Amino acid sequence: MGQDEFQVISKYFRRQTKDSAVLLGIGDDAAVVDMSGPIVVTTDTMVSGVHFQNETSGDVVGYRVLAANLSDLAAMGAEPRWCTLALTLGSIQDEWLSGFSTSFFDLADQHGVSLIGGDLTRGPLVVTVQLFGVGKEDCLLTRSGGNVDDQIYVTGSLGDSAAGLSLIKKGIADVSDEHRFLKNRFLRPTPRVSEGLAMRGIAKAAIDISDGLLADLGHICESSGCGAVIDVERLPLSTELLALFPSEVAQTFALNGGEDYELCFTASPDDGTAIEQRLESLGTKAYAIGHLVDQPGVVCHRAGKPFIPASTGYLHFT
Ligand code: ADP
Ligand code: MG
């Protein structure tokens, strides 16, 4: 007890890095890395009471904030390398911090990411990570590279995270493996970093699904100057989701639910087999759910007919 910020930093955050590109890490006024090539930078903030419930344990917050950043780099086809962490805490609670730093570093280690600096201040609980990655010239994935007639793919399964969050919010106990699975998809989503790297040079446009498929595919369409038609019956839904929710509810979660952190990308219709082969070794599947069209907007089809889904994605200010 009674620890100052420097003790907290050395106890929970200062670690040796194996990355020789890090010339100076934690401990100076700024960190220094030595790198040539395109540096890809992203940042994500999580605010207590907005992005997670106030009583959320440190290990969940530490994992999710880094996962969100990793997912952004995945969508760019970049290799994550270094991050900074700005922590605003109401007070110093060892149990929370210890859970936070353990799961943060577990995930960082899985992806070869070094924590090279940060900030620690007092105030309402807010966690910000800035993540730096390295891209390959001419191989960066962006939202704007889509072309009319591209196939639209999504990885993994959609809607699990939103369904898991709904179970958590309702306080429903883990009465089955399906409950546990869905909650875990919200609490510990898998950023598709290797998949993003594998899609370099083949995906035309890409985005990670953080605000819901319709919203995020909408961003690809706007940036690429086109529209999309998707068939909701081709959305990948997990058996766990379908076991606990009627299929129309599951589809709504898949269309609008945020924070799946799957990838949505487009590719030439000729590249279906190549995509499958590249993802196979990663144990991931990508599902073709529709295609890009020249008419703007995202149109959903069900049983061959257009329909208007219940609502759109998560907006922060409305
Ligand atoms: P300054 O006041 O010069 O900004 P600080 O006293 O805030 O430096 O931080 C001391 C060192 O510890 C810096 O190298 C900073 O990057 C690092 N640091 C501070 N907070 C964190 C944190 N939450 N995680 C990792 N490193 C941190
Ligand atoms: Mg500082």
Side-chain angles (χ1 to χ4, degrees), residues 94-229:
D94 274 300
E95 194 185 332
W96 195 91
L97 277 164
S98 152
F100 181 97
S101 85
T102 303
S103 74
F104 185 91
F105 282 116
D106 276 351
L107 185 60
D109 290 346
Q110 280 174 40
H111 294 280
V113 169
S114 305
L115 178 63
I116 58 170
D119 202 12
L120 187 60
T121 50
R122 185 165 176 176
L125 179 56
V126 178
V127 182
T128 298
V129 167
Q130 185 163 41
L131 179 63
F132 300 77
V134 179
K136 200 158 115 189
E137 221 157 324
D138 302 324
C139 274
L140 289 167
L141 307 179
T142 63
R143 297 178 179 185
S144 61
N147 305 302
V148 171
D149 293 335
D150 278 2
Q151 286 276 356
I152 302 164
Y153 291 90
V154 294
T155 58
S157 57
L158 297 181
D160 297 334
S161 182
L165 178 60
S166 80
L167 297 174
I168 292 169
K169 280 189 171 161
K170 286 188 195 130
I172 294 171
D174 286 350
V175 289
S176 69
D177 288 348
E178 287 86 359
H179 285 81
R180 248 185 306 280
F181 172 88
L182 293 178
K183 287 184 190 176
N184 211 42
R185 290 272 289 158
F186 170 76
L187 297 172
R188 289 183 166 263
T190 305
R192 300 296 190 181
V193 177
S194 311
E195 291 80 357
L197 291 172
M199 288 305 108
R200 295 206 287 209
I202 194 161
K204 302 294 183 203
I207 193 166
D208 70 316
I209 304 176
S210 54
D211 292 336
L213 174 67
L214 289 181
D216 291 317
L217 177 56
H219 295 316
I220 286 188
C221 291
E222 275 158 40
S223 300
S224 297
C226 59
V229 174

